[in-house]
Amino acid sequence: MKVRIIMEITGDDGEEIGREIIADLTKITTGAEDLGLSLAEGKALLAGLQQKMVETQVDLWLTENRETNGRRLRHKGYYPVTFHTLFGDVRLRSPRYALPESEGRNGPGTVSPLRRLIPDHIAPERLYLETRWASLVPYAAAAELLADVLPIACGINATTVRQHALKTAARIEQELTEERVSFMQDSCPRDWMNLPIPDGRIVIGLDGGYIRDRDDRKKNFELIVGRSLPEDGEPRYIGFVHGYDRKPQRRILDHLKKQGVQANQDITFITDGGEEVRSLAEMIAPASEHVLDWFHITMRITVIRQFAQGLRHHDKEAGNGLLDMLSRIKWYLWHGNTYRAREEIDWLLDDAEATETDYPNMKKFLTAIGEFRFYIGSNHASLINYGERYRSGERISSAFVEATVNAVVSKRFAKKQQMQWSRTGAHLLLQTRTQTLDGSLRSTFETWYPGMANDNHRNTGNQAAA
């Protein structure tokens, strides 16, 4: 059979503007592979349809935008423009118009109106899709996916996808709020009483991950990632390169504001107790607190316990005594008795140092106890009554952040993709990847390009219902 696909364009007044033959197909049915359109036929059909549709839309727009101050501009020629869309690269002729002469004019004598319509020469939906896929898979793989399923085989490569994705990230960066480090900055505490009652507590977990440094391939640099979990609302991701952003607290504050967090809202930061992430949680809001992750406490106790069990094979009495002290330390920490816990840790170190034994790992054992004492001492203000909070059903562990590090950093930056990264490239990609993973990237694009929120099928249904 023969199939002819015709596109008919009608103006707003109902008058036909044009009619174009998009494709003539001959279909011979001998098997399942002959049914419907093939991928190649679909690509060619979409590319032809897109070319004719964009050309017509541009011609209509230029007709409406050829006047300045009520005067019709004089035509002075054309120059070629390529508009990159999801359904092929559309080649257009961009007209130049002569501007009316005016006294004292030092600027250009011509204008190209099409630059206002397509300043970046790329359709927002294509930019969105390139950014989204580049945030999930390597740039080369994203380019291959786009070329496989869409009629954009020409002009799409890893370099182009990377440039577009990082350009989007740079625009996200530009929209950060003014330099602030706290909800309390430039505000009066009396105003907090007038704020509405917040929805509930929001928990934020922060942790770090490491990726290879492109500039110094023998070293790694740290990424800080986190996840915020409000009681009522969708979770959101956050990420940045440690040391690249000089004002990281401003980023966290902006992240919280986008989730509707108020100055009087309870905020709990759960971290592993590292100095970098601990400093980020300081003084963010008057009702915020920092909690040392219970998982990292028990992980360190477990390491010390293994050394003590090894000591027991060489000195049973000394090993059992140190194991009993470790049990008491863990009990005191679980119940928030910081003073007794630190006291027991000091005694543990004293007794371990006084033990005479031929245990080969004794030096490592003492080092582990000393590091644990420093760790608890540095984070003593972040120790809470974990048992009470656990029985209340509240979070005491940042295990969800460990999964966040794996989802945000490891799968894209460090596992199968053994790549080296620049600090700028990694930081910018984190901005789009976090929004892609939590589903907020589309809403960001719809804020920039309101027309992306349009849905002809939904609008048609609404009109029919009305």
Side-chain angles (χ1 to χ4, degrees), residues 78-92:
Y78 295 93
Y79 65 92
V81 169
T82 300
F83 182 47
H84 305 285
T85 76
L86 278 178
F87 305 111
D89 292 342
V90 179
R91 289 166 177 78
L92 303 168

Side-chain angles (χ1 to χ4, degrees), residues 59-78 95-100 111 113 116:
D59 288 342
L60 292 173
W61 186 86
L62 288 172
T63 300
E64 298 173 355
N65 291 270
R66 189 172 176 175
E67 294 184 355
T68 298
N69 298 326
R71 297 180 59 181
R72 184 176 178 81
L73 300 178
R74 182 168 54 88
H75 186 264
K76 289 206 66 176
Y78 295 93
R96 290 187 302 113
Y97 299 130
L99 291 171
V111 63
R116 290 191 284 119

Side-chain angles (χ1 to χ4, degrees), residues 49-66:
L49 180 64
Q50 186 79 323
Q51 179 73 38
K52 297 298 182 182
M53 181 177 290
V54 173
E55 283 180 355
T56 304
Q57 287 179 286
V58 167
D59 288 342
L60 292 173
W61 186 86
L62 288 172
T63 300
E64 298 173 355
N65 291 270
R66 189 172 176 175

Side-chain angles (χ1 to χ4, degrees), residues 214-255:
R214 186 193 66 182
D215 299 325
D216 188 349
R217 298 185 180 183
K218 295 183 179 180
K219 295 183 179 180
N220 299 331
F221 60 86
E222 186 179 16
L223 309 181
I224 303 296
V225 296
R227 194 181 187 193
S228 54
L229 302 172
E231 289 186 7
D232 299 313
E234 296 295 328
R236 290 287 183 265
Y237 292 102
I238 186 173
F240 55 92
V241 173
H242 174 61
Y244 178 86
D245 186 354
R246 299 300 180 183
K247 300 293 182 181
Q249 285 183 309
R250 174 191 62 165
R251 186 177 304 277
I252 295 178
L253 191 65
D254 184 75
H255 174 82

